[in-house]
Amino acid sequence: MEQLNPENIPQHIAIIMDGNGRWAKTKGRLRVFGHETGVKSVREALEGAMHIGVKYLTLYAFSSENWNRPRFEINALMGLLVDSLKKELPTFHKNQVKLHAIGDLSQLPKRCYNKLQETMEETSHYTTCTLTLALSYGSRQELVNVTRRLAEKVKQGELSVDDINEQTIQQDLDTHFIPDPDLLIRTGGEQRISNFMLWQMAYTEMVFLDIMWPEFHREHLYESILEYQQRERRFGKISEQL
């Protein structure tokens, strides 16, 4: 951590937490054991991010495609979410963490949805760090929803076609309340973004780690940020223009 440049800390870090099930399998355990152990890594990521001043942390917790998994695993994940929110609420209060969520939350079980809404309401006034959980989230569906809403506004005469631009779309995304990610970290050894914030990550720096999510510690976060700091973000320009 001593090597990090405090003047170049990414404002927003997004993480695809991959590898829970495969990690559990190597231990001869059920996939659920991997998800349970992965909660500790969530805490490591959040505390590590806050320690160095990251303002926004977004975790891909459950994709829209994950509903196709075995019912037993889905039920376990939903129960784990509720239990985790109960356990971590004192931590959110202590560190002034605002919890938010994106995705089709209406698909969540009622108990899970209610606890999520309750926790978000209790932490809504905090400003130290915003933790966003992507739940039942799929970026393609997000963009379809934005397109439908804009089309309806045009149909109703509230918006002209010529007024539709990048800013109009950005303001209607699920993530309209947070800046685009500066850094994406994916564990599990895969090198893809799996329908996660396709629009928002147009210029995001990406770091792919071979470790599984239950093996993730804050040191891995800092190493990823160090790699980020060694890159030149040009946003379409050339080096001499920066």
Side-chain angles (χ1 to χ4, degrees), residues 72-118:
F72 170 78
E73 183 174 348
I74 292 174
N75 291 340
L77 281 167
M78 293 299 122
L80 184 60
L81 174 62
V82 172
D83 291 342
S84 297
L85 290 174
K86 289 179 180 178
K87 291 178 181 177
E88 297 303 323
L89 184 57
T91 301
F92 295 158
H93 286 314
K94 179 182 177 181
N95 296 288
Q96 297 191 326
V97 175
K98 177 191 292 185
L99 180 69
H100 203 87
I102 59 175
D104 186 2
L105 305 183
S106 65
Q107 290 197 52
L108 299 177
K110 185 175 182 180
R111 175 169 168 261
C112 185
Y113 177 86
N114 290 343
K115 187 60 185 178
L116 181 64
Q117 293 293 333
E118 177 186 317

Side-chain angles (χ1 to χ4, degrees), residues 56-240:
Y56 304 93
L57 180 66
T58 300
L59 305 178
Y60 202 10
F62 193 87
S63 75
S64 52
E65 291 80 12
N66 286 157
W67 291 112
N68 296 317
R69 291 187 174 186
R71 176 53 56 182
F72 170 78
E73 183 174 348
I74 292 174
N75 291 340
L77 281 167
M78 293 299 122
L80 184 60
L81 174 62
V82 172
D83 291 342
S84 297
L85 290 174
K86 289 179 180 178
K87 291 178 181 177
E88 297 303 323
L89 184 57
T91 301
F92 295 158
H93 286 314
K94 179 182 177 181
N95 296 288
Q96 297 191 326
V97 175
K98 177 191 292 185
L99 180 69
H100 203 87
I102 59 175
D104 186 2
L105 305 183
S106 65
Q107 290 197 52
L108 299 177
K110 185 175 182 180
R111 175 169 168 261
C112 185
Y113 177 86
N114 290 343
K115 187 60 185 178
L116 181 64
Q117 293 293 333
E118 177 186 317
T119 307
M120 289 195 293
E121 184 176 345
E122 285 194 40
T123 62
S124 61
H125 57 290
Y126 293 141
T127 57
T128 299
C129 181
T130 298
L131 172 63
T132 302
L133 301 179
L135 293 163
S136 189
Y137 173 86
S139 188
R140 286 183 173 182
Q141 187 59 49
E142 175 188 26
L143 293 173
V144 168
N145 293 341
V146 170
T147 303
R148 286 175 174 169
R149 287 193 292 268
L150 293 178
E152 185 62 28
K153 288 180 181 179
V154 171
K155 180 180 178 181
Q156 297 299 328
E158 301 172 10
L159 185 72
S160 73
V161 172
D162 292 337
D163 289 333
I164 299 176
N165 52 36
E166 287 190 19
Q167 184 178 8
T168 311
I169 295 173
Q170 188 87 14
Q171 291 173 344
D172 211 45
L173 293 169
D174 289 0
T175 56
H176 62 87
F177 60 96
I178 55 178
D180 291 341
D182 301 296
L183 171 64
L184 169 74
I185 301 170
R186 179 173 184 149
T187 59
E190 307 290 356
Q191 298 189 17
R192 55 176 179 266
I193 57 176
S194 298
N195 198 18
F196 185 42
M197 295 201 289
L198 301 176
W199 174 281
Q200 298 88 334
M201 291 200 290
Y203 280 101
T204 299
E205 296 297 325
M206 300 181 184
V207 174
F208 299 101
L209 303 177
D210 289 332
I211 62 165
M212 301 300 168
W213 179 246
E215 301 169 321
F216 185 92
H217 298 288
R218 66 185 67 192
E219 288 75 17
H220 297 110
L221 176 72
Y222 299 148
E223 290 170 4
S224 299
I225 294 174
L226 183 61
E227 181 173 340
Y228 162 88
Q229 292 183 343
Q230 294 170 346
R231 299 180 184 178
E232 184 178 69
R233 305 187 74 198
R234 295 189 297 274
F235 299 98
K237 300 178 181 179
I238 62 175
S239 300
E240 288 74 15

